[in-house]
Amino acid sequence: MTNRIVHGGGITAAARQHGGRPEDWLDLSTGINPNPVVLPEVPVSAWHRLPDQHLQERAREAARGYYHSGDILPLSVPGTQSVIQLLPRLVPGGSAAILSPTYGEYARAFRLAGLPVRQVSTITELTADDRLVVVVNPNNPDGRMLPVDQLRDLHDRQREQCGILLVDEAFGDVEPEASLAPYASSMPSLIIFRSFGKFFGMAGLRLGFVIAETSISDRFEDWLGPWAVSGPALSIAASLMERDTSAIRDRILQRRLALETVLHQSHLHIAGGTALFALVADDRAEGIYTHLCRHHILVRKFDYAPHRLRFGLAPDEEADRRLAGALEEYST
């Protein structure tokens, strides 16, 4: 059995180890908007009945407009993690290449399926044997971003080799100009994963979207089975994606600037990141992590990169001061 991957979150486990009530901890270990939007009204019927076709259609149409996917109607899924686990079925007997380091569940899904997987550091290392190429763009945790033209060229190469390019845009909402979604209808060997919960601050809804040609999305839909996404999730997503989301984006960018300020004042080097988190490189990372835990502040550490820490966004100015105070105490 492949070892399970430790992700962000895990406040309960941290509180058990370092004390305090989970609700009193400041969780900066995830890349999720810390200011969830106000829930729209959900019709009683969405709770009472199985997800009707009109709910699915409305959510998919809203996603089409939100992601600007043109002729492609995005498929709603119960979180993109659910379809990551299905990827080996797309290339039975084939291999995958993953631009790494990145989100670890991609490699784990292939290893659990007994299929070969290569983790490459640059696209120049890709070969004709790579049936599926995975690029997280912008990348987690370093924020690496490949330009649209480069990804389109990579898609064309994969298509010529009878392969597939998967681009995970989970952290792409704040930078829509970097998305491949507007070009997807002319890229038949492309799959795009989009996360709903990160930008809107609703990870608990467990909702994502797949943008791909019908022959691919239909297979995911069949494998997931009927009623994969709940009626309330579809209703909430449709309502929010049909609205102007500029205020959400502005608030995220304000919170990101506040985080940068705290980290710079604490003389920590920001080595990368996205609008929803900052990656810090520091030889004292393990000590900083433990010190923050003692102050009931959780950040993300990495077994494969012990000198790195990922800081998510704090929800408000009070939390900024709490983080700044703990970091100042560590430095003195």
Side-chain angles (χ1 to χ4, degrees):
M1 178 66 69
T2 303
N3 290 336
R4 291 180 179 174
I5 295 169
V6 178
H7 298 288
I11 284 291
T12 300
R16 285 173 178 163
Q17 182 175 358
H18 297 278
R21 301 182 305 167
E23 57 267 31
D24 295 331
W25 276 63
L26 175 60
D27 186 5
L28 305 181
S29 67
T30 69
I32 299 168
N33 181 355
N35 299 119
V37 300
V38 177
L39 278 173
E41 183 178 352
V42 178
V44 174
S45 60
W47 299 99
H48 179 61
R49 296 198 292 260
L50 289 170
D52 287 332
Q53 187 66 31
H54 75 277
L55 270 182
Q56 299 178 44
E57 291 173 354
R58 182 187 169 206
R60 296 183 71 178
E61 284 291 350
R64 189 211 307 254
Y66 180 76
Y67 296 126
H68 304 287
S69 61
D71 294 336
I72 296 203
L73 197 62
L75 173 68
S76 55
V77 298
T80 51
Q81 179 61 48
S82 67
V83 279
I84 287 174
Q85 295 168 184
L86 299 175
L87 289 175
R89 298 193 192 185
L90 281 181
V91 287
S95 63
I98 303 168
L99 196 56
S100 303
T102 193
Y103 184 60
E105 293 292 345
Y106 284 104
R108 185 171 187 266
F110 267 77
R111 290 183 179 125
L112 284 173
L115 297 179
V117 57
R118 296 191 310 121
Q119 294 176 280
V120 301
S121 57
T122 67
I123 61 174
T124 59
E125 299 173 54
L126 299 174
T127 72
D129 295 329
D130 299 319
R131 293 289 311 285
L132 176 69
V133 171
V134 178
V135 178
V136 180
N137 205 59
N139 190 45
N140 175 17
D142 60 10
R144 177 196 59 229
M145 183 92 75
L146 297 188
V148 167
D149 288 346
Q150 189 174 21
L151 289 171
R152 295 185 72 178
D153 289 344
L154 179 56
H155 164 269
D156 293 344
R157 192 174 100 179
Q158 284 297 104
R159 184 183 183 188
E160 290 172 1
Q161 298 170 171
C162 299
I164 295 171
L165 171 64
L166 188 151
V167 180
D168 183 332
E169 298 181 351
F171 293 97
D173 293 61
V174 178
E175 300 178 90
E177 67 280 359
S179 174
L180 282 182
Y183 311 98
S185 59
S186 62
M187 302 172 71
S189 296
L190 172 69
I191 302 172
I192 299 174
F193 285 173
R194 296 296 299 242
S195 168
F196 178 84
K198 291 178 175 62
F199 177 77
F200 290 98
M202 294 185 174
L205 206 61
R206 304 312 304 135
L207 178 64
F209 289 90
V210 175
I211 301 172
E213 68 165 7
T214 303
S215 64
I216 294 176
S217 63
D218 281 354
R219 277 186 278 176
F220 283 132
E221 189 172 17
D222 288 342
W223 292 335
L224 288 170
W227 315 299
V229 180
S230 73
L234 294 169
S235 177
I236 290 169
S239 295
L240 293 177
M241 297 176 100
E242 290 167 350
R243 299 178 183 178
D244 179 5
T245 59
S246 58
I248 303 173
R249 178 181 182 275
D250 291 346
R251 179 60 175 167
I252 288 173
L253 292 175
Q254 290 169 5
R255 291 283 77 227
R256 180 59 162 82
L257 180 59
L259 175 62
E260 284 184 24
T261 300
V262 170
L263 296 177
H264 284 146
Q265 289 175 345
S266 303
H267 307 291
L268 294 176
H269 171 61
I270 299 177
T274 70
L276 285 166
F277 60 80
L279 182 68
V280 164
D282 196 294
D283 291 338
R284 306 168 297 165
E286 183 65 35
I288 294 171
Y289 174 85
T290 302
H291 174 79
L292 290 176
C293 281
R294 290 171 182 156
H295 284 73
H296 300 165
I297 300 172
L298 185 63
V299 297
R300 174 80 160 90
K301 64 177 181 176
F302 303 92
D303 292 341
Y304 65 83
H307 64 291
R308 288 181 165 185
L309 295 173
R310 193 185 69 190
F311 287 72
L313 306 185
D316 50 38
E317 290 76 11
E318 180 180 353
D320 293 337
R321 291 190 289 272
R322 179 175 172 183
L323 174 62
L327 290 173
E328 181 181 4
E329 181 180 308
Y330 181 82
S331 300
T332 58

